mmCIF file of all heavy atoms in Angstrom:
data_model
loop_
_atom_site.group_PDB
_atom_site.id
_atom_site.type_symbol
_atom_site.label_atom_id
_atom_site.label_comp_id
_atom_site.label_asym_id
_atom_site.label_seq_id
_atom_site.Cartn_x
_atom_site.Cartn_y
_atom_site.Cartn_z
ATOM 1 N N LYS B 9 -16.016 -1.636 28.661
ATOM 2 C CA LYS B 9 -15.107 -0.578 29.055
ATOM 3 C C LYS B 9 -14.762 -0.735 30.528
ATOM 4 O O LYS B 9 -15.591 -1.063 31.344
ATOM 5 C CB LYS B 9 -15.744 0.777 28.795
ATOM 6 C CG LYS B 9 -15.980 1.052 27.307
ATOM 7 C CD LYS B 9 -16.534 2.430 27.092
ATOM 8 C CE LYS B 9 -16.739 2.705 25.601
ATOM 9 N NZ LYS B 9 -17.285 4.055 25.370
ATOM 10 N N ARG B 10 -13.532 -0.511 30.863
ATOM 11 C CA ARG B 10 -13.067 -0.614 32.235
ATOM 12 C C ARG B 10 -12.543 0.734 32.690
ATOM 13 O O ARG B 10 -12.196 1.597 31.896
ATOM 14 C CB ARG B 10 -11.942 -1.655 32.336
ATOM 15 C CG ARG B 10 -12.415 -3.037 31.955
ATOM 16 C CD ARG B 10 -13.255 -3.630 33.101
ATOM 17 N NE ARG B 10 -14.061 -4.715 32.605
ATOM 18 C CZ ARG B 10 -15.357 -4.632 32.524
ATOM 19 N NH1 ARG B 10 -15.989 -3.569 32.925
ATOM 20 N NH2 ARG B 10 -16.044 -5.639 32.072
ATOM 21 N N GLY B 11 -12.394 0.866 33.965
ATOM 22 C CA GLY B 11 -11.754 2.049 34.491
ATOM 23 C C GLY B 11 -12.750 3.017 35.085
ATOM 24 O O GLY B 11 -13.685 2.625 35.763
ATOM 25 N N ARG B 12 -12.561 4.275 34.823
ATOM 26 C CA ARG B 12 -13.369 5.321 35.459
ATOM 27 C C ARG B 12 -14.828 5.213 35.040
ATOM 28 O O ARG B 12 -15.150 4.969 33.894
ATOM 29 C CB ARG B 12 -12.817 6.683 35.074
ATOM 30 C CG ARG B 12 -13.540 7.854 35.779
ATOM 31 C CD ARG B 12 -12.998 9.170 35.278
ATOM 32 N NE ARG B 12 -11.566 9.265 35.550
ATOM 33 C CZ ARG B 12 -11.070 9.733 36.669
ATOM 34 N NH1 ARG B 12 -11.886 10.112 37.646
ATOM 35 N NH2 ARG B 12 -9.763 9.812 36.841
ATOM 36 N N LYS B 13 -15.691 5.390 35.990
ATOM 37 C CA LYS B 13 -17.125 5.365 35.711
ATOM 38 C C LYS B 13 -17.520 6.541 34.823
ATOM 39 O O LYS B 13 -17.100 7.657 35.063
ATOM 40 C CB LYS B 13 -17.894 5.421 37.031
ATOM 41 C CG LYS B 13 -19.405 5.417 36.861
ATOM 42 C CD LYS B 13 -20.071 5.476 38.210
ATOM 43 C CE LYS B 13 -21.582 5.558 38.054
ATOM 44 N NZ LYS B 13 -22.251 5.658 39.346
ATOM 45 N N PRO B 14 -18.295 6.318 33.774
ATOM 46 C CA PRO B 14 -18.677 7.423 32.887
ATOM 47 C C PRO B 14 -19.489 8.475 33.635
ATOM 48 O O PRO B 14 -20.220 8.175 34.560
ATOM 49 C CB PRO B 14 -19.518 6.734 31.806
ATOM 50 C CG PRO B 14 -19.967 5.464 32.413
ATOM 51 C CD PRO B 14 -18.865 5.047 33.348
ATOM 52 N N ASP B 38 -26.003 -2.869 35.069
ATOM 53 C CA ASP B 38 -26.662 -1.611 34.774
ATOM 54 C C ASP B 38 -27.845 -1.800 33.839
ATOM 55 O O ASP B 38 -28.644 -0.898 33.671
ATOM 56 C CB ASP B 38 -25.665 -0.633 34.133
ATOM 57 C CG ASP B 38 -24.579 -0.241 35.118
ATOM 58 O OD1 ASP B 38 -24.832 -0.358 36.326
ATOM 59 O OD2 ASP B 38 -23.509 0.178 34.666
ATOM 60 N N LYS B 462 -23.369 -1.906 43.290
ATOM 61 C CA LYS B 462 -23.807 -2.294 41.954
ATOM 62 C C LYS B 462 -22.855 -1.830 40.867
ATOM 63 O O LYS B 462 -22.847 -2.380 39.761
ATOM 64 C CB LYS B 462 -25.210 -1.732 41.687
ATOM 65 C CG LYS B 462 -26.288 -2.301 42.589
ATOM 66 C CD LYS B 462 -27.652 -1.726 42.272
ATOM 67 C CE LYS B 462 -28.120 -2.130 40.897
ATOM 68 N NZ LYS B 462 -29.501 -1.678 40.604
ATOM 69 N N GLU B 463 -22.028 -0.834 41.152
ATOM 70 C CA GLU B 463 -21.061 -0.335 40.181
ATOM 71 C C GLU B 463 -19.701 -1.008 40.354
ATOM 72 O O GLU B 463 -18.672 -0.404 40.078
ATOM 73 C CB GLU B 463 -20.914 1.184 40.329
ATOM 74 C CG GLU B 463 -22.210 1.959 40.215
ATOM 75 C CD GLU B 463 -22.796 1.899 38.821
ATOM 76 O OE1 GLU B 463 -22.005 1.675 37.868
ATOM 77 O OE2 GLU B 463 -24.022 2.050 38.680
ATOM 78 N N TYR B 464 -19.691 -2.246 40.812
ATOM 79 C CA TYR B 464 -18.416 -2.906 41.122
ATOM 80 C C TYR B 464 -17.526 -3.075 39.898
ATOM 81 O O TYR B 464 -16.303 -3.142 40.023
ATOM 82 C CB TYR B 464 -18.658 -4.266 41.784
ATOM 83 C CG TYR B 464 -19.307 -5.302 40.913
ATOM 84 C CD1 TYR B 464 -18.553 -6.146 40.101
ATOM 85 C CD2 TYR B 464 -20.688 -5.459 40.898
ATOM 86 C CE1 TYR B 464 -19.151 -7.103 39.309
ATOM 87 C CE2 TYR B 464 -21.290 -6.415 40.118
ATOM 88 C CZ TYR B 464 -20.519 -7.237 39.327
ATOM 89 O OH TYR B 464 -21.113 -8.190 38.521
ATOM 90 N N GLU B 465 -18.115 -3.106 38.721
ATOM 91 C CA GLU B 465 -17.268 -3.268 37.546
ATOM 92 C C GLU B 465 -16.474 -2.006 37.224
ATOM 93 O O GLU B 465 -15.565 -2.035 36.400
ATOM 94 C CB GLU B 465 -18.092 -3.699 36.334
ATOM 95 C CG GLU B 465 -19.024 -2.633 35.806
ATOM 96 C CD GLU B 465 -19.596 -3.002 34.453
ATOM 97 O OE1 GLU B 465 -18.990 -3.807 33.739
ATOM 98 O OE2 GLU B 465 -20.660 -2.479 34.124
ATOM 99 N N PHE B 466 -16.802 -0.902 37.876
ATOM 100 C CA PHE B 466 -16.001 0.320 37.782
ATOM 101 C C PHE B 466 -15.168 0.557 39.036
ATOM 102 O O PHE B 466 -14.125 1.191 38.971
ATOM 103 C CB PHE B 466 -16.901 1.544 37.547
ATOM 104 C CG PHE B 466 -17.687 1.490 36.277
ATOM 105 C CD1 PHE B 466 -19.019 1.148 36.288
ATOM 106 C CD2 PHE B 466 -17.083 1.771 35.057
ATOM 107 C CE1 PHE B 466 -19.758 1.093 35.116
ATOM 108 C CE2 PHE B 466 -17.811 1.721 33.885
ATOM 109 C CZ PHE B 466 -19.148 1.381 33.906
ATOM 110 N N GLU B 467 -15.651 0.071 40.180
ATOM 111 C CA GLU B 467 -15.025 0.397 41.455
ATOM 112 C C GLU B 467 -14.041 -0.658 41.938
ATOM 113 O O GLU B 467 -13.121 -0.336 42.705
ATOM 114 C CB GLU B 467 -16.116 0.593 42.524
ATOM 115 C CG GLU B 467 -17.156 1.645 42.171
ATOM 116 C CD GLU B 467 -16.570 3.043 42.092
ATOM 117 O OE1 GLU B 467 -15.496 3.268 42.684
ATOM 118 O OE2 GLU B 467 -17.174 3.918 41.430
ATOM 119 N N ALA B 468 -14.207 -1.905 41.547
ATOM 120 C CA ALA B 468 -13.349 -2.979 42.042
ATOM 121 C C ALA B 468 -11.944 -2.862 41.449
ATOM 122 O O ALA B 468 -11.751 -2.250 40.389
ATOM 123 C CB ALA B 468 -13.955 -4.339 41.697
ATOM 124 N N LEU B 473 -11.091 -7.563 38.398
ATOM 125 C CA LEU B 473 -12.016 -7.526 37.268
ATOM 126 C C LEU B 473 -11.460 -8.285 36.071
ATOM 127 O O LEU B 473 -12.196 -8.949 35.341
ATOM 128 C CB LEU B 473 -12.312 -6.079 36.883
ATOM 129 C CG LEU B 473 -13.100 -5.256 37.903
ATOM 130 C CD1 LEU B 473 -13.222 -3.814 37.446
ATOM 131 C CD2 LEU B 473 -14.466 -5.868 38.137
#
Side-chain angles (χ1 to χ4, degrees):
K9 295 183 179 180
R10 298 284 161 248
R12 184 184 300 272
K13 179 180 177 182
D38 294 337
K462 296 181 65 175
E463 304 293 336
Y464 66 88
E465 69 168 337
F466 299 102
E467 304 295 339
L473 293 175

